[in-house]
Amino acid sequence: MSRTRIRLGDLLVKDGIISEANLMQALAEQKKTGRKLGATLISLGMVTEQSLLTLLSRHLNVPLINLDDYQVKANAVKLLPEMQARRNRAMVIDDKGDKLLVVMSDPADLNAQDNLAELLPKPFDVAVVSEGQLYDAYDGFYRKTEEIASFAHELAEEYEDNDDFSLTDNVDGEQDTAVSRLLQSIFDDAVIAKASDIHIEPDENALRIRHRVDGVLQENVIPQANIAAALVLRLKLMAGLDISEKRLPQDGRTQITVKGHRIDVRLSTMPVQAGESVVMRLLDQSAGLLTLTQTGMPAAMLKRFRNMLHRPHGMLLVTGPTGSGKTTTLYGALSELNQPERKIITVEDPVEYRLPRVNQVQVNSKINLTFSSVLRTTLRQDPDIIMVGEMRDQETVEIGLRGALTGHLVLSTLHTNDAISSAIRLLDMGAPGYLVASSLKGVVAQRLVRRICDNCEEDYTPNHDEQLWLKHVDGALSQVQFKQGAGCQKCNQTGYRGRIGVFELLEMNESMMTALKTSDTVAFAEHAVQSKHYRPLAYAALTYAKMGLTTVEEVLKLTEMVSERDEADPSDNEGSEHSG
């Protein structure tokens, strides 16, 4: 490219994209804000980012690159440290042997190019890229692994002569600053990776920090085992826990801000052989709640679920194992029902998201503020809708069912594997059959399956065992072209990025209610399977695999075998909107 310095404003006027008056207005605004002229013009709506990039590409004779379509080389990215990359608004994306390829959001910045020439080991060609894509790429490619290792080493050196970390040692001194920097890096890395949980696990000779990303743990091993006590102490202080108590588990809550996101942190400590293990659930409050449409529930199923939601009374259950998205679905339902004319009370442990106009009660077993005791009081508070965080015992179940029978809409969760077993579980917990039959209106069962990374998606031929399973389900599946992720930097070489909700919905009908009244679980299950709209979870997941959204491997994880009685057309799960 030419080394001639260009004036962006003059080029835009010359090409007729903006007027001279527009340029003067933008320059005046730029003086106030200190932003680049291009960013100022875009914020004022005088040009689009795409037209600006196209202009720079043409006049500077450099290619315009879409990073979403480019296979960025991770080893090339590492040639330029993150700090320098962000400072010069540039990133190395390829090593072509004799030359590197560098993308810049402002390729006309000659000072930045001179800096890069000193920093990089080879000559380079320049391409222009969207600033938004560039900053997304920073977060995706510059993980905090090296920074975490550096801060851990720094902290370990401060404590190298202190194997037994004292509770009173420099809580507000230099060591605490080092601990804070290390924790901030751990949280930053978790947010970049879109982790739902952070696990800090002390071992005899190492400290393991694991992030749960898309339901799977990713491990980072820190050899400095002696820093574990300092980390745990700092986290306990943040969460307001008893720092002198190491023998008993403790639960707490704190809040942090990472990259402008307000994150609620639910913290749990547990004594283990080598110290105390800490698990933190991260809840991004600034991201907002998903609506029911955004959960990914298929359109036909969502319509039936909404019909049940808007009934004046009855119980609706959302079931599945821990981490299957039950809370997201329930909060989506509450957001939809949250109107001035409705009184909504929730009983939760813990309260995960704050909702305006909703009376949310945090359970506290230490003072006997249990689900059942709060629920009993709740019924005297004149509610229209009650949400119970979980049906944990017989008393809670019976109060909830009676509340549904006496004119309230009751929403709750249950830990069961599918929708059919949920009603049976209520009977097993001691609820009378007549009460379950009269109150229960519907059950949603759900899971989350990992979504194929769209950056490294490729065709996939199922292996022998998978082909046998697919043939058992439907012989026509042998003609389907399935997909998988090859693994790339964007998905941390896993082949998956994000997750999709998989749902089944069971609506109660007369034959099912009759079976429940007599506690005939066998007849109930038979009637449920034969009901008009029921489709098991496996078929929802299989539909996603046929659409190229998930893999056969993920479907098989969801269910080991689909019985012949379930061989129905899974059309109810097609044509849906999908969440990432």
Side-chain angles (χ1 to χ4, degrees), residues 77-78 81-86 135-153 180-195 198 209 211 218-222 257-259 489 492:
V77 174
K78 293 177 182 177
E82 181 182 4
M83 183 182 297
Q84 296 297 338
R86 290 183 182 272
Y135 280 99
D136 286 344
Y138 289 152
D139 288 344
F141 287 93
Y142 287 109
R143 291 288 297 273
K144 299 288 184 178
T145 307
E146 293 181 7
E147 186 177 286
I148 290 171
S150 174
F151 286 147
H153 180 72
S180 298
R181 288 200 299 268
L182 176 55
L183 281 175
Q184 188 64 52
S185 291
I186 292 170
F187 284 124
D188 287 349
D189 192 45
V191 171
I192 288 171
K194 294 182 171 59
I198 302 173
I209 298 177
H211 293 157
Q218 298 177 1
E219 185 173 81
N220 182 16
V221 179
I222 294 176
T257 301
V258 179
K259 296 184 179 295
Q489 186 69 21
N492 201 29

Side-chain angles (χ1 to χ4, degrees), residues 38-309:
T40 303
L41 288 164
I42 293 170
S43 67
L44 292 173
M46 294 178 180
V47 296
T48 64
E49 185 177 35
Q50 188 60 40
S51 64
L52 193 61
L53 294 174
T54 303
L55 176 80
L56 288 170
S57 174
R58 186 173 72 251
H59 278 276
L60 295 173
N61 193 28
V62 298
L64 171 57
I65 287 182
N66 182 350
L67 287 181
D68 290 337
D69 300 329
Y70 198 94
Q71 286 286 351
V72 178
K73 306 296 189 299
N75 290 335
V77 174
K78 293 177 182 177
L79 294 174
L80 185 64
E82 181 182 4
M83 183 182 297
Q84 296 297 338
R86 290 183 182 272
R87 180 175 296 166
N88 294 289
R89 292 189 299 160
M91 190 171 82
V92 185
I93 63 170
D94 210 342
D95 186 347
K96 299 181 181 295
D98 57 335
K99 277 191 174 184
L100 304 174
L101 178 59
V102 176
V103 290
M104 302 180 70
S105 61
D106 183 6
D109 188 341
L110 299 183
N111 289 331
Q113 287 191 47
D114 290 339
N115 292 336
L116 294 172
E118 293 181 4
L119 292 165
L120 295 174
K122 296 180 184 179
F124 58 89
D125 291 325
V126 171
V128 63
V129 69
S130 154
E131 189 168 76
Q133 281 193 346
L134 185 60
Y135 280 99
D136 286 344
Y138 289 152
D139 288 344
F141 287 93
Y142 287 109
R143 291 288 297 273
K144 299 288 184 178
T145 307
E146 293 181 7
E147 186 177 286
I148 290 171
S150 174
F151 286 147
H153 180 72
E154 177 187 338
L155 182 60
E157 285 188 336
E158 294 175 356
Y159 290 118
E160 62 183 358
D161 297 324
N162 187 4
D163 294 330
D164 184 19
F165 178 71
S166 171
L167 294 174
T168 58
D169 273 350
N170 296 299
V171 170
D172 297 312
E174 293 180 6
Q175 287 92 336
D176 185 61
T177 304
V179 172
S180 298
R181 288 200 299 268
L182 176 55
L183 281 175
Q184 188 64 52
S185 291
I186 292 170
F187 284 124
D188 287 349
D189 192 45
V191 171
I192 288 171
K194 294 182 171 59
S196 60
D197 302 84
I198 302 173
H199 295 237
I200 297 178
E201 303 168 342
D203 209 338
E204 186 175 349
N205 300 310
L207 174 65
R208 302 180 192 279
I209 298 177
R210 303 202 280 177
H211 293 157
R212 189 173 295 281
V213 180
D214 294 336
V216 178
L217 286 170
Q218 298 177 1
E219 185 173 81
N220 182 16
V221 179
I222 294 176
Q224 295 86 3
N226 64 325
I227 69 172
L231 277 181
V232 174
L233 171 63
R234 181 62 185 169
L235 288 168
K236 282 184 172 182
L237 286 170
M238 290 169 62
L241 302 182
D242 183 355
I243 61 175
S244 65
E245 180 56 78
K246 297 182 179 181
R247 302 163 300 170
L248 297 173
Q250 296 187 67
D251 294 312
R253 193 167 190 156
T254 187
Q255 196 172 85
I256 60 169
T257 301
V258 179
K259 296 184 179 295
H261 292 256
R262 186 165 55 87
I263 310 291
D264 267 4
V265 182
R266 277 169 36 198
L267 183 145
S268 172
T269 70
M270 182 176 69
V272 293
Q273 195 68 23
E276 287 181 277
S277 168
V278 179
V279 176
M280 292 174 282
R281 170 64 57 90
L282 308 181
L283 301 167
D284 188 350
Q285 297 289 342
S286 59
L289 292 171
L290 291 181
T291 64
L292 280 178
T293 303
Q294 291 171 324
T295 61
M297 190 178 293
M301 185 185 296
L302 182 56
K303 183 179 179 180
R304 299 199 311 276
F305 183 56
R306 279 183 167 140
N307 287 339
M308 289 189 285
L309 271 180

Side-chain angles (χ1 to χ4, degrees), residues 452 457-467 470 477-486 496 545 548 550-554 556:
I452 295 171
E457 176 188 292
E458 63 181 15
D459 291 343
Y460 172 71
T461 301
N463 61 37
H464 177 70
D465 291 340
E466 290 169 344
Q467 287 179 2
L470 291 168
L477 290 172
S478 61
Q479 306 301 316
V480 174
Q481 179 59 68
F482 293 100
K483 300 286 185 180
Q484 70 172 3
Y496 297 99
T550 192
T551 61
V552 177
E553 176 190 25
E554 284 293 288
L556 284 169

